[in-house]
Amino acid sequence: MDQTQNSGMEYSFNEIIYFLNGTKQSALLPPGLTTLEMLHNKLHLYGTKCSCNEGDCGACTVVISYPQEGTIVYEAINSCLYPAVKLHGKHLITIEGLGCPEDLHPIQQALLEHHGTQCGYCTPGFVMSLFALLASISHPNMENIMAALEGNLCRCTGYQSILDAAQELSKDHDPASIIPPWCRTIEAQLFSFNEKTTVRAQVSNSLFKIDKYLQVENCRELAQLLSTHPNATLIAGGTDVMVQVNIARRHFPCLIDICGIAELKNIRLKRDGIHIGAAVTYSRIMDSGIIKTDLPALIEICRLIAGKQIRNSGTLVGNIANASPIGDSLPLLLIYETRLVLASEQGERELSLRDFFIAYRKTALQTGEYIKEIIINRPFQDTFIACLKTAKRKS
Ligand SMILES: Cc1cc2nc3c(=O)[nH]c(=O)nc-3n(C[C@H](O)[C@H](O)[C@H](O)COP(=O)(O)OP(=O)(O)OC[C@H]3O[C@@H](n4cnc5c(N)ncnc54)[C@H](O)[C@@H]3O)c2cc1C
Ligand code: FES
Ligand code: FES
């Protein structure tokens, strides 16, 4: 008999420390467990819903808060695609934390008063998306509201009642009245957080879709790991990789997460063009002063990609590396004659985006190599570039 049938398989479990609705927590997580699976199967918190399990419907929306450039951000994400291990050092806010029937949060109260909920299945997701919006912007306008809610689907209300509630909230509330005091208490702890996440070998009789999930903190470590783990797959936002895990049931022997590498999160203007690091999300690009001034067409493209939750996690470099012929960013990046910086233990090389794609979903990336950053030429003055998306449905 196969020995593994008796003793189980050896996996790498991740030990993380995070905050959940105002309380510090530690967790030992099987590799690749999603935040939604953790909420349902480990914590028995069922307020966050699951419908599509692939980032489309927003029923599973939760909010994460963490420090970014000296401030605390509140971001809506799809918990069905968000590996729970990424929560290390962050504050996870779920519908259970915001309000209860006896003491509704102002967002829940407004939805109730405007009849913004019918069967209620989508409602926790809408509440969390509105929470992220109102915690981030004072008095958002209709465009902000639409952008915040485009990743949430409702099959009952027809949306108008939800928009009415959101508009009333945007008039009467600012972040100070939306963010509960226990969130503020955690903000100070998020700034000073410096604990390490650990990986522990563990034998389990359960079968997991991922054997090993590694997080790296710098490019040197990443290059070393890629040379010692030739079967590893990189994961950035996970909005493509985790769909393959959830829907295609694809098995990954090893995922290496690059989102903890600070130097890959930069957008810099240099003499040879605009450098965008591999871990920069669409939302960061849309907020960047450099991109707003020098590459406004790129912001237009990012706005056309998916909904807010996906843009908060997904990266531009992930869109390139995915090499899908329907990747929305690719035509514009090709027009700009974008170059890629490819790095490995052997050093770095530059390659044009045109030469990077060699066949359907095949790239010139070699074993042990990763995309470190992309360099986009600044358009000449008075150049006019407009972007259209022909697909009728956006996400
Ligand atoms: C609901 C939904 C809607 C979407 N809508 C759109 C849309 O409208 N338009 C569109 O174009 N896309 C869309 N996508 C696809 C997806 O969001 C994008 O392709 C995204 O940019 C991928 O980035 P990521 O960081 O999440 O990549 P990941 O899932 O982390 O990785 C994607 C691939 O890139 C590789 N990779 C990542 N980083 C690197 C690196 N630095 N070096 C080498 N390889 C790397 C990974 O190994 C993997 O193969 C959608 C996805 C979902 C789930
Ligand atoms: S369950 Fe539909 S987006 Fe997560
Ligand atoms: S209230 Fe039923 S899906 Fe939105």
Side-chain angles (χ1 to χ4, degrees), residues 61 108 132 156-157 218 225 228 369:
T61 304
Q108 294 168 315
C156 301
T157 61
N218 59 60
L225 275 178
T228 52
E369 250 183 352

Side-chain angles (χ1 to χ4, degrees), residues 67-322:
Q68 184 178 276
E69 291 174 353
T71 177
I72 295 286
V73 293
Y74 287 83
E75 282 183 345
I77 51 143
N78 294 121
S79 62
C80 67
L81 297 182
Y82 198 78
V85 59
K86 280 178 180 281
L87 294 171
H88 182 72
K90 299 192 176 91
H91 189 186
L92 170 63
I93 303 160
T94 70
I95 192 71
E96 287 85 357
L98 282 196
C100 59
E102 302 75 40
D103 184 17
L104 294 179
H105 185 274
I107 297 173
Q108 294 168 315
Q109 188 64 40
L111 283 170
L112 182 71
E113 285 167 11
H114 287 270
H115 310 287
T117 178
Q118 287 183 23
C119 79
Y121 200 78
C122 68
T123 308
F126 274 95
V127 171
M128 298 316 295
S129 288
L130 284 171
F131 175 69
L133 170 72
L134 295 160
S136 309
I137 305 181
S138 288
H139 310 300
N141 59 26
M142 199 53 178
E143 195 185 329
N144 303 139
I145 293 170
M146 295 293 271
L149 295 182
E150 64 196 4
N152 292 81
L153 300 181
C154 173
R155 286 291 171 253
C156 301
T157 61
Y159 299 104
Q160 191 54 52
S161 51
I162 298 172
L163 294 175
D164 290 346
Q167 268 188 305
E168 184 200 292
L169 285 159
S170 74
K171 269 190 259 139
D172 299 343
H173 293 276
D174 59 16
S177 63
I178 287 294
I179 300 175
W182 48 265
C183 280
R184 295 293 189 203
T185 312
I186 298 296
E187 287 184 358
Q189 297 183 54
L190 292 173
F191 274 123
S192 58
F193 188 89
N194 62 2
E195 295 173 61
K196 293 273 175 217
T197 165
T198 48
V199 179
R200 206 195 286 172
Q202 186 127 332
V203 173
S204 171
N205 284 317
S206 307
L207 282 178
F208 299 113
K209 291 163 272 178
I210 296 159
D211 297 345
K212 194 187 270 189
Y213 193 107
L214 303 173
Q215 290 170 298
V216 282
E217 286 182 358
N218 59 60
C219 290
R220 193 171 40 83
E221 197 188 343
L222 173 58
Q224 279 168 357
L225 275 178
L226 280 174
S227 78
T228 52
H229 294 70
N231 63 353
T233 303
L234 293 184
I235 176 167
T239 61
D240 284 316
V241 169
M242 294 308 289
V243 173
Q244 292 175 45
V245 173
N246 287 1
I247 305 299
R249 315 298 293 172
R250 184 170 161 197
H251 169 255
F252 288 95
C254 177
L255 288 181
I256 303 179
D257 190 328
I258 61 168
C259 289
I261 304 179
E263 64 183 292
L264 299 186
K265 292 185 178 171
N266 294 324
I267 300 177
R268 285 167 305 178
L269 181 58
K270 292 190 180 176
R271 284 163 71 101
D272 62 347
I274 296 163
H275 292 232
I276 300 180
V280 175
T281 62
Y282 293 114
S283 292
R284 289 291 300 280
I285 290 173
M286 292 171 75
D287 288 342
S288 157
I290 295 173
I291 307 293
K292 279 180 193 163
T293 311
D294 286 299
L295 286 176
L298 185 59
I299 295 190
E300 274 178 52
I301 280 290
C302 293
R303 199 173 284 134
L304 294 174
I305 290 177
K308 184 78 173 162
Q309 296 91 325
I310 295 291
R311 293 197 295 268
N312 283 340
S313 297
T315 62
L316 187 59
V317 167
N319 203 234
I320 294 170
N322 199 30

Side-chain angles (χ1 to χ4, degrees), residues 328-373:
D328 277 317
S329 70
L330 307 179
L332 182 73
L333 295 176
L334 285 166
I335 289 170
Y336 279 135
E337 298 182 347
T338 300
R339 287 158 287 144
L340 312 183
V341 178
L342 307 180
S344 69
E345 265 209 312
Q346 279 68 50
E348 293 183 5
R349 66 180 174 124
E350 232 180 76
L351 191 69
S352 73
L353 183 59
R354 194 173 291 275
D355 293 334
F356 181 69
F357 300 118
I358 51 178
Y360 176 73
R361 287 205 172 235
K362 284 215 160 35
T363 71
L365 208 63
Q366 290 170 4
T367 308
E369 250 183 352
Y370 66 96
I371 306 171
K372 189 174 180 189
E373 61 179 6

